[in-house]
Amino acid sequence: MKTKINRRQSLALGLSGVGGLASLSLSTPSRAAEALKEVRLDYAYYSPTSLVLRRFGWLEDDFRADGVTVKWVLSAGSNRALEYLNADSIDIGSTAGLAALLARANGAPIRTPYIYSRPEWTALVVRGDSSLRTLADLKGRKVAATKGTDPYLFLLRALHTVGLKRGDIEHVSLQHADGRAALEQGRVDAWAGLDPHMAASELGAGTRLLYRNVDFNTYGFLNVRDAFLQQQPRAVQRVILAYEKARLWTLANPSEAARILSEEAKVSLPVALLQIKLRTDFSQPLPSQTHVQALRAAAPILTDEQLVKPGTDLSRVVADLVDTRFAASLIRG
């Protein structure tokens, strides 16, 4: 699979080599931007382009000339990325869209100027020999899920489709990898999975997907702390362009990207290929009304399950979170 890259993209993204990014035609840096010493961002196995970007060192190459270092922090899930953002431990972090909305609704000062993927990264998983066949069968059962993440919110939305709520199951709060282990060891009846752990469990342990719904998988949001976006807009633009370089490289080299994911996440190449080639869409990087509407459709679960304060205007929170304008001049077909 090869992706055509036009001349403008090639120049803007510096795709003629794997060195630093091309110079940007951006406004003159502010005093705050000139004082920047470090850019802190996360990488995650659920965001393959972050792994590609980190592997090739394109951000390091770009910022080195300005004396700015790049610090990478591993996020094991959206909940961890959001904790790091809220604690000012990172400036830019990758999460699921609905998880970012929940965090913003509860006071996290973040904004989303870039979409790193549209994945089908979660489903409800059971053991291969499980007697559970439908969502209704989950009533009264132990289900593992990581709170504050897309799999957890996916679980709640799925339950609502058959008239069940969070209180109708026994929720076991475990980080994603631990949830997989608990399922395979028989300590829980089901698990709200996350790739690549989910794909590895399917291919390695023979687990099966009890319930899938791609529309309940919210997009991959690249979130920036409000303060960093205001003080360092040029740095954020440079990070977005680097992500674009990684996205286009991944589209043109999916097998090589899968190999990077395999090595970083320590999963087999077939597992990584399943995640990248069959379950991840990298075609919509610019935040748009599509993403706004997807969040608005998902938002009622946050109110129904009392995950936000009563009276919270979630439509306004969506508008405050999804920045459809910041990257518009950077990302064009």
Side-chain angles (χ1 to χ4, degrees), residues 9-193:
Q9 290 170 318
S10 179
L11 291 173
L13 300 174
L15 289 175
S16 58
V18 295
L21 298 176
S23 296
L24 306 180
S25 298
L26 303 175
S27 58
T28 301
S30 65
R31 289 179 182 269
E34 290 176 338
L36 181 66
K37 296 300 181 184
E38 185 178 60
V39 176
R40 305 166 301 168
L41 64 163
D42 75 344
Y43 66 103
Y45 305 144
Y46 52 83
S47 174
T49 47
S50 72
L51 305 181
V52 169
L53 183 54
R54 181 170 174 266
R55 171 66 64 91
F56 288 127
W58 291 326
L59 267 180
E60 287 84 347
D61 290 342
D62 180 41
F63 279 108
R64 187 177 295 113
D66 298 325
V68 176
T69 60
V70 176
K71 178 182 178 181
W72 293 96
V73 177
L74 175 65
S75 287
S78 293
N79 61 325
R80 291 287 183 259
L82 291 164
E83 287 171 9
Y84 300 149
L85 286 164
N86 221 20
D88 192 12
S89 297
I90 59 174
D91 305 303
I92 301 171
S94 45
T95 75
L98 191 53
L101 176 63
L102 174 59
R104 176 87 194 194
N106 286 322
I110 57 174
R111 189 176 297 272
T112 305
Y114 185 81
I115 306 297
Y116 59 83
S117 71
R118 187 192 185 189
E120 186 190 4
W121 51 20
T122 188
L124 297 184
V125 190
V126 295
R127 292 185 301 279
D129 60 358
S130 173
S131 63
L132 303 181
R133 297 294 171 186
T134 68
L135 284 173
D137 294 336
L138 292 176
K139 186 173 183 177
R141 302 290 188 138
K142 291 182 178 180
V143 184
T146 310
K147 291 190 72 173
T149 67
D150 223 30
Y152 177 68
L153 298 169
F154 178 95
L155 166 64
L156 299 183
R157 294 180 77 186
L159 292 174
H160 277 231
T161 66
V162 292
L164 298 177
K165 291 191 174 184
R166 178 175 44 175
D168 292 316
I169 64 165
E170 183 179 343
H171 171 234
V172 180
S173 185
L174 295 170
Q175 201 62 42
H176 301 299
D178 297 327
R180 172 193 172 186
L183 176 68
E184 293 177 0
Q185 294 166 9
R187 292 185 281 116
V188 297
D189 301 296
W191 165 53

